Amino acid sequence: MFRVILLLAVLATIDTTSTAISLGQQPQRPISIEDTAPRLPQLIAIVLLNEDPDCDLAIRALAEMEAEAKPAVSALCLRLDDRRYWTRAHAVDALVAIGDASVVPLQELLNVPSSRCRAAAATALGRLRRLSLEEIEQLAKDEDPRVRAAVSHALANLGKPAVATLIAMLSDSHASVAVVAARGLRDNHEDSSAAIAALIQSLPRSHVGWAAADALASYGVEAQRAVPWIIKAYPLGEAGRFGWDDASEVALQHIGPPHKDDIPLLCECLSHAEMEARIQAANHLAMLGSTAESATPALEAAIKAMIDEHLTLNVEAESGDAATEDNRVWRMLEASESCAIAFWSVTRDPQRFLEITEQLGSDSVMRFWHRELDEALPVNTIPLINSLLSHPNPSVREEALYGIYDFGSKALPLKDAILPLTDDSDSDVAKLVVLVLAAIGPAMADVTGPRLLAAFRTGDVSLEEFASAVESLELKSLEVREILEQGARHKDELTFVACAKALTAVVDHSRPAATQLIEAIDKRNISGRTAIEIFREVESIDDLLIPFLKRQLRNEDFWTRSEALKALANMGPRAKPAAAQIESLLEDDDIRLQAAKAIWLINGEPTFLDDELKRIFAASGEDSRNDRHNAIEMIAELKRAGARYLKYVVDETRSPESYFAQNAIATLEAIGTPEAVAALSATAESPDWVLRSGATKAIQRLREARATEE
């Protein structure tokens, strides 16, 4: 009945004789949000009488008018009882945009018979922050879960007094209400200790646990006591529509290390039915380092149990009785390796770790490097590495060398342990030693150069491997040059590219040599990106390279054009002959950002880049996310010059999406100015472990780089 009365009241306010659309007529064409001609009475008539999509578009148009759409409040309130969810949602948006004029009509709807209308009205009032605590307490007891869920939304904005109600609603019999209550506690941190305890209790609840984990993640390191309970509750379901990780895995990333008092609970999780839970338990024990030494017996027992179970599953799989268990076999192996890494982290005992590694197999050594020694070579790891390099099993020695290879110049402290292996009885190990020493860089040139040449002459090292090693060692002898020049005529494209890159990197650049390489590139039809990479280190023959790079700017491949722009930008003012062509690329939407950057670095004119970045960071919507990401990466390419755009980077560190915030942290590190370091220091105080740890590592790397320079 209220719907009929409301409709009659609204119709009485409309002067139909002044509208181009008489009541009951359909519009001549669909209404667009961009339309500015229709007057307010017309839009109200469409809201009252038309169906989707015209009704929704008219509602959205009214929302854009904000307070000027005050006469439409009654019509919009009528649509709060629409059968279509999106129409109700658009009506709520419009009423919120109109503001204070919507409050009284919405309050009157809190007591109407229609539960979906009550829910929509409560949602709108909650967003307007015009629900009193008394109204909330009344609505929190509403028989319809949609109304109770709407109240949970409102409670997120009401501070500490609302936390107790949200906690109570976590126990609501309807899971959707409990989920919204968890989201409310995700946004309302005014009583964190009570909220965290309640959210932990909700983790085992079906269809609610994922939301509880998501809420706990928002508290970051403050929720560290939740870590073992999140692991115990695994699996909780995918974290989002576009994510593959379980909600528990995502939450644990943001919370970080557990509390030391929870070590016994984590040890219990080492025998969890799910392999991922065992992996997470081991990884979090590893985070505690020697503090978790008491977990050593549990880790050893877990490794032994999983090795036994792994062997049993392998036998069953081979007999054809457990084909579906194949993935479990590999996950179990990964879980046992995680326990081994945790064992090393809490004990730092090389001998006992080696005994465990032998049980797991030599492949586990290789994975150890990539998982435990991700970015640096810790001093306290060197005794273990020395033990691996002197291991009697050649497979272990070989896998250890592969791991060291990835460290490049950081492996210099290990040279005394590596050098004896050049005479290793295993030919694969001996060959690998030469390549590992070469990867350390010029500091090993005198020692490694003769060995590299000897290995090449005997055929132990391929021409491609030789070229890459020469580039790393910066060898410049006549014999080396002759070998590379011969390789630059090789039929195999990969070998040609490796030799060409080495030639341009370590041989004094000359016009004939460069001309020969350019002709060879054109003849072989080498991709533009590869060709640009070959000449990246060349600086003294601009009159040959600039025309070559200008040709690449016309390449159909986006990445080739992008790399050519970067190469020209890195040349700075020397690339002025290409400036006009680069400026024409400002009309290309795909490449405009890189073109604007190149113009600044070449001509010293930042206006184009200033305007482009201002446009990108002012935009909104799904497409703008990718543009912002690319812009932040471009600012990182500017290094210290990127300080001009520091504000954009700092703002991005506050992004709710950690991937974008991590990208911003890397850019602050690349800029490296005192202001950038100050922003990193602020980010290092974030409760989010992903940001906190990322910023802390960035600061440490900057300090190490500064100490090296001094």
Side-chain angles (χ1 to χ4, degrees):
M1 185 68 180
F2 85 96
R3 181 182 172 90
V4 176
I5 296 172
L6 187 55
L7 176 59
L8 292 173
V10 173
L11 291 175
T13 67
I14 301 176
D15 179 8
T16 60
T17 63
S18 66
T19 66
I21 303 176
S22 298
L23 297 182
Q25 285 186 314
Q26 294 295 319
Q28 298 299 311
R29 58 185 175 81
I31 300 300
S32 168
I33 292 178
E34 287 75 20
D35 287 337
T36 57
R39 288 171 294 178
L40 186 57
Q42 291 174 287
L43 291 172
I44 294 174
I46 295 169
V47 170
L48 287 171
L49 300 175
N50 286 36
E51 294 300 318
D52 178 68
D54 290 333
C55 175
D56 286 350
L57 289 170
I59 293 173
R60 291 164 67 187
L62 289 167
E64 289 190 350
M65 296 173 66
E66 297 180 344
E68 293 181 11
K70 176 180 176 181
V73 167
S74 296
L76 291 167
C77 285
L78 188 65
R79 285 297 180 181
L80 295 182
D81 194 36
D82 196 279
R83 58 185 173 77
R84 295 161 300 181
Y85 168 79
W86 284 113
T87 299
R88 299 198 303 274
H90 290 319
V92 167
D93 290 341
L95 289 163
V96 171
I98 291 169
D100 290 344
S102 302
V103 173
V104 172
L106 286 169
Q107 289 173 333
E108 292 173 354
L109 295 179
L110 293 178
N111 297 306
V112 298
S114 170
S115 57
R116 65 186 175 198
C117 188
R118 294 198 306 275
T123 299
L125 287 168
R127 287 173 56 184
L128 287 165
R129 302 194 178 192
R130 298 297 291 271
L131 275 177
S132 67
L133 283 174
E134 291 76 17
E135 289 171 326
I136 287 173
E137 289 177 1
Q138 171 195 341
L139 294 169
K141 301 172 184 175
D142 195 284
E143 62 181 16
D144 193 288
R146 289 175 295 186
V147 179
R148 301 198 299 275
V151 171
S152 298
H153 275 300
L155 289 167
N157 300 316
L158 294 181
K160 190 170 183 177
V163 173
T165 306
L166 283 170
I167 289 174
M169 296 182 83
L170 279 176
S171 303
D172 193 282
S173 59
H174 204 284
S176 64
V177 178
V179 165
V180 179
R183 288 174 176 166
L185 292 171
R186 178 191 63 190
D187 299 328
N188 186 337
H189 286 195
E190 294 302 317
D191 190 353
S192 57
S193 59
I196 290 169
L199 289 165
I200 289 173
Q201 293 296 317
S202 298
L203 285 168
R205 184 177 173 184
S206 178
H207 305 299
V208 177
W210 67 270
D214 180 55
L216 286 164
S218 71
Y219 291 85
V221 295
E222 194 175 359
Q224 64 176 173
R225 298 306 300 264
V227 167
W229 303 106
I230 293 173
I231 296 173
K232 279 178 176 288
Y234 182 90
L236 295 173
E238 290 180 3
R241 288 180 299 167
F242 307 111
W244 296 100
D245 291 336
D246 189 83
S248 61
E249 296 173 77
V250 175
L252 291 168
Q253 290 171 12
H254 295 283
I255 295 172
H259 194 280
K260 60 182 179 61
D261 291 348
D262 290 327
I263 291 172
L265 289 173
L266 290 168
C267 290
E268 291 177 13
C269 294
L270 293 174
S271 57
H272 196 286
E274 295 285 344
M275 290 301 113
E276 183 58 40
R278 300 186 195 184
I279 291 170
Q280 290 293 343
N283 290 348
H284 281 76
L285 286 168
M287 287 182 179
L288 293 174
S290 59
T291 304
E293 190 174 6
S294 61
T296 302
L299 287 166
E300 286 185 293
I303 293 168
K304 183 180 185 305
M306 281 187 277
I307 289 173
D308 292 343
E309 190 176 352
H310 177 259
L311 292 173
T312 301
L313 287 173
N314 262 335
V315 171
E316 293 175 355
E318 289 172 2
S319 64
D321 297 332
T324 58
E325 293 290 336
D326 187 54
N327 183 59
R328 182 175 173 82
V329 169
W330 288 105
R331 292 296 283 166
M332 186 171 295
L333 177 61
E334 187 175 353
S336 58
E337 288 175 351
S338 295
C339 288
I341 290 173
F343 179 89
W344 165 251
S345 298
V346 303
T347 65
R348 295 294 173 179
D349 186 327
Q351 188 57 43
R352 293 174 71 189
F353 176 76
L354 281 173
E355 293 170 0
I356 289 173
T357 302
E358 287 182 340
Q359 296 177 57
L360 295 175
S362 61
D363 286 349
S364 298
V365 178
M366 183 66 173
R367 285 186 282 271
F368 168 78
W369 301 109
H370 294 290
R371 296 176 62 186
E372 168 69 0
L373 311 179
D374 185 28
E375 295 180 350
L377 185 65
V379 173
N380 57 7
T381 305
I382 291 177
L384 170 61
I385 297 172
N386 289 336
S387 298
L388 293 170
L389 291 173
S390 60
H391 197 280
N393 185 338
S395 295
V396 172
R397 299 199 298 274
E398 186 175 354
E399 296 294 350
L401 286 168
Y402 274 120
I404 296 169
Y405 182 87
D406 291 338
F407 284 107
S409 61
K410 293 179 182 177
L412 185 60
L414 297 170
K415 65 177 182 179
D416 292 336
I418 299 171
L419 279 170
L421 295 178
T422 54
D423 299 320
D424 197 278
S425 57
D426 187 283
S427 59
D428 290 334
V429 172
K431 166 191 169 179
L432 188 55
V433 168
V434 175
L435 299 179
V436 169
L437 291 170
I440 295 175
M444 298 301 296
D446 292 341
V447 173
T448 310
R451 288 180 168 86
L452 178 63
L453 281 165
F456 174 71
R457 293 189 198 105
T458 59
D460 292 330
V461 171
S462 70
L463 181 53
E464 185 180 344
E465 291 171 329
F466 175 81
S468 297
V470 164
E471 185 178 357
S472 177
L473 291 167
E474 299 181 7
L475 300 179
K476 299 184 178 182
S477 69
L478 179 60
E479 183 179 2
V480 166
R481 176 169 181 163
E482 289 174 348
I483 294 172
L484 293 176
E485 287 177 344
Q486 183 179 358
R489 295 190 290 272
H490 201 283
K491 292 181 180 180
D492 179 69
E493 182 175 319
L494 292 177
T495 301
F496 164 77
V497 171
C499 291
K501 284 180 63 179
L503 274 170
T504 59
V506 304
V507 177
D508 292 335
H509 309 130
S510 65
R511 295 181 60 80
T515 302
Q516 182 181 359
L517 283 177
I518 290 174
E519 290 175 353
I521 287 168
D522 290 337
K523 184 177 180 180
R524 289 170 174 266
N525 198 27
I526 299 293
S527 72
R529 291 181 70 187
T530 302
I532 292 167
E533 182 65 27
I534 288 173
F535 288 107
R536 190 172 298 280
E537 302 296 328
V538 177
E539 297 181 357
S540 58
I541 45 176
D542 292 351
D543 59 326
L544 287 176
L545 290 182
I546 290 175
F548 170 76
L549 291 170
K550 287 174 68 176
R551 290 202 304 274
Q552 306 310 317
L553 292 177
R554 297 191 294 271
N555 196 295
E556 293 181 357
D557 178 56
F558 163 80
W559 294 109
T560 298
R561 300 199 307 277
S562 177
E563 291 300 321
L565 270 175
K566 290 179 182 179
L568 288 164
N570 290 338
M571 294 172 73
R574 293 170 19 231
K576 282 188 176 181
Q581 185 176 347
I582 293 173
E583 193 162 335
S584 70
L585 293 175
L586 291 171
E587 303 301 320
D588 185 337
D589 291 343
D590 293 333
I591 210 78
R592 183 189 298 122
L593 181 64
Q594 286 293 342
K597 167 198 164 189
I599 290 170
W600 178 29
L601 296 180
I602 293 169
N603 286 343
E605 174 51 67
T607 305
F608 294 112
L609 186 54
D610 290 350
D611 292 345
E612 180 64 6
L613 289 173
K614 183 177 180 180
R615 180 192 68 79
I616 288 172
F617 286 100
S620 59
E622 189 68 23
D623 291 341
S624 69
R625 297 165 71 252
N626 187 55
D627 290 341
R628 291 200 319 273
H629 171 76
N630 291 336
I632 293 295
E633 286 197 333
M634 185 280 301
I635 294 171
E637 293 168 4
L638 293 170
K639 300 191 182 300
R640 292 185 75 85
R644 180 183 181 90
Y645 306 111
L646 191 64
K647 178 185 181 300
Y648 297 131
V649 185
V650 172
D651 287 346
E652 203 70 4
T653 61
R654 305 186 187 104
S655 170
E657 298 177 78
S658 62
Y659 173 74
F660 291 94
Q662 287 175 278
N663 191 32
I665 289 171
T667 300
L668 288 172
E669 181 180 356
I671 293 171
T673 61
E675 294 79 9
V677 173
L680 284 171
S681 298
T683 307
E685 297 300 318
S686 169
D688 187 327
W689 178 254
V690 173
L691 305 184
R692 189 186 191 103
S693 59
T696 301
K697 289 178 181 177
I699 293 170
Q700 183 60 34
R701 286 190 294 266
L702 286 171
R703 287 175 180 165
E704 290 172 357
R706 192 177 302 115
T708 302
E709 291 172 1
E710 294 173 352

